[in-house]
Amino acid sequence: MRRKIPATHTLLCFEAAARHESYTRAAQELALTQSAVSRQVAALEEYLGQALFTRTRHGVALTPRGREYAAQVAERLLALERDTLNAMSTQGTQGAVHLAAVPTFATRWLIPRLPQLQAQHPNIVVHIETRTRPFLFADTGFDGALFAGTAEQVANWAGTQATLLVHEDVLPVCAPGLLGQTGPLSPEAVAELPLLQQSTRPFGWSQWFDAMGVATPHALSGPRYELFSMTATAAIYGLGVALVPRLLIETELARGDLVVACDQPLRGERAYYLVVPLRGDEPAALKLFREWLAATADAGRG
């Protein structure tokens, strides 16, 4: 059965013309003539049986249907390009693992350990993209996900199985200058310092102070940052005390950019998991990656 799909070069011309809303600029980008782009767009409009552009005093403009179709075509061309690059990147390898991951954990914990994976399994390629919320694996090309959440959230992620990697033990840290020469502080003293808030953990400080038995009206006060990496950077520059997982700031603590303000960590409700879809035929590369990741996490806990 012949598929009802326009030629790829026609779609490339249309996508470029739609993005620029200009045949001239599209032609420059594609190293074609303006008339060649115009012919391809005209052929596509004839193929679809409807106009995608209207003529204006300054050139062309997308019709409402053209704008909708352009967004759909751009998404699929991007996916096709990504799939092609992935296929090219795995030549001569055992395969690739396509991983969705929360950004800070991937940057601070996973990527620094990937040289160990490469040493053990040099023919495995790991691709990482950012995802922070559960999704349907069937709707994506991901093999697995590094997810930060509660045990309940993981259990409710339908059609998946999860491996616990590390718990999110948080502790207060700050720039050395903010702490001065006094050394680690008491929880009561921490309550007197400017607090940096994590927007994804809005009650983090409240939970920490409650666990320490300290009542403070300022637990929710202070600037908010979306990512732990932002909160840690703000702490490095002396803006206040950050409550962050130690595992995400190992480098900053080792360099002395951050110091522990109060050495009383609190085990958070969340942990980091590797989540994979339930299926009977686990790809070989994913199996090796999952086993390596679990062993690496176990070694870190020991």
Side-chain angles (χ1 to χ4, degrees):
M1 179 179 176
R2 185 175 180 180
R3 296 182 182 277
K4 196 72 172 177
I5 301 174
T8 304
H9 65 273
T10 299
L11 294 175
L12 288 170
C13 286
F14 167 65
E15 189 277 332
R19 183 160 25 88
H20 296 296
E21 286 198 294
S22 167
Y23 292 170
T24 300
R25 292 177 64 186
Q28 293 171 346
E29 177 182 311
L30 300 172
L32 298 172
T33 64
Q34 181 185 21
S35 60
V37 172
S38 178
R39 286 196 301 272
Q40 291 298 324
V41 171
L44 182 59
E45 290 178 321
E46 183 178 356
Y47 187 87
L48 297 175
Q50 55 188 303
L52 299 172
F53 291 93
T54 58
R55 292 284 180 179
T56 69
R57 292 176 56 188
H58 304 290
V60 294
L62 285 164
T63 63
R65 183 66 186 95
R67 191 171 303 281
E68 179 184 356
Y69 188 54
Q72 296 167 337
V73 168
E75 179 181 351
R76 285 160 177 79
L77 287 176
L78 181 62
L80 181 60
E81 180 182 37
R82 183 172 58 247
D83 292 343
T84 302
L85 291 173
N86 287 341
M88 294 171 66
S89 72
T90 56
Q91 295 182 38
T93 71
Q94 291 176 312
V97 175
H98 300 269
L99 197 64
V102 286
T104 306
F105 185 73
T107 303
R108 300 300 185 92
W109 191 90
L110 176 63
I111 292 177
R113 289 166 172 78
L114 285 181
Q116 302 171 24
L117 174 67
Q118 191 173 48
Q120 294 181 34
H121 304 290
N123 292 324
I124 292 179
V125 176
V126 180
H127 303 294
I128 304 174
E129 296 183 35
T130 299
R131 287 288 180 95
T132 58
R133 300 180 183 279
F135 53 87
L136 293 176
F137 278 95
D139 294 340
T140 73
F142 292 122
D143 298 305
L146 286 180
F147 177 68
T150 65
E152 181 181 9
Q153 288 173 323
V154 172
N156 290 333
W157 192 336
T160 67
Q161 58 183 354
T163 300
L164 172 65
L165 299 175
V166 288
H167 287 283
E168 190 178 85
D169 296 342
V170 296
L171 79 167
V173 296
C174 64
L178 192 64
L179 195 61
Q181 302 299 318
T182 61
L185 304 175
S186 66
E188 290 80 4
V190 172
E192 300 301 319
L193 296 175
L195 303 179
L196 303 176
Q197 304 289 341
Q198 184 78 27
S199 59
T200 55
R201 312 286 195 278
F203 301 106
W205 275 117
S206 295
Q207 292 168 346
W208 186 82
F209 283 119
D210 286 346
M212 299 302 118
V214 175
T216 173
H218 308 300
L220 299 178
S221 301
R224 297 187 177 277
Y225 303 93
E226 183 178 4
L227 302 177
F228 277 128
S229 57
M230 296 177 180
T231 310
T233 300
I236 289 172
Y237 283 95
L239 295 178
V241 185
L243 189 67
V244 295
R246 183 190 288 270
L247 65 92
L248 299 183
I249 52 169
E250 293 170 340
T251 300
E252 288 79 1
L253 289 172
R255 286 198 307 245
D257 295 336
L258 289 172
V259 295
V260 176
C262 180
D263 197 8
Q264 297 194 43
L266 174 67
R267 173 150 296 183
E269 297 177 348
R270 301 190 182 205
Y272 294 90
Y273 298 84
L274 173 65
V275 181
V276 298
L278 284 170
R279 54 188 170 193
D281 55 339
E282 184 179 34
L286 176 61
K287 181 176 184 294
L288 291 172
F289 174 76
R290 179 176 53 77
E291 292 173 348
W292 167 81
L293 190 63
T296 301
D298 285 341
R301 287 195 294 267

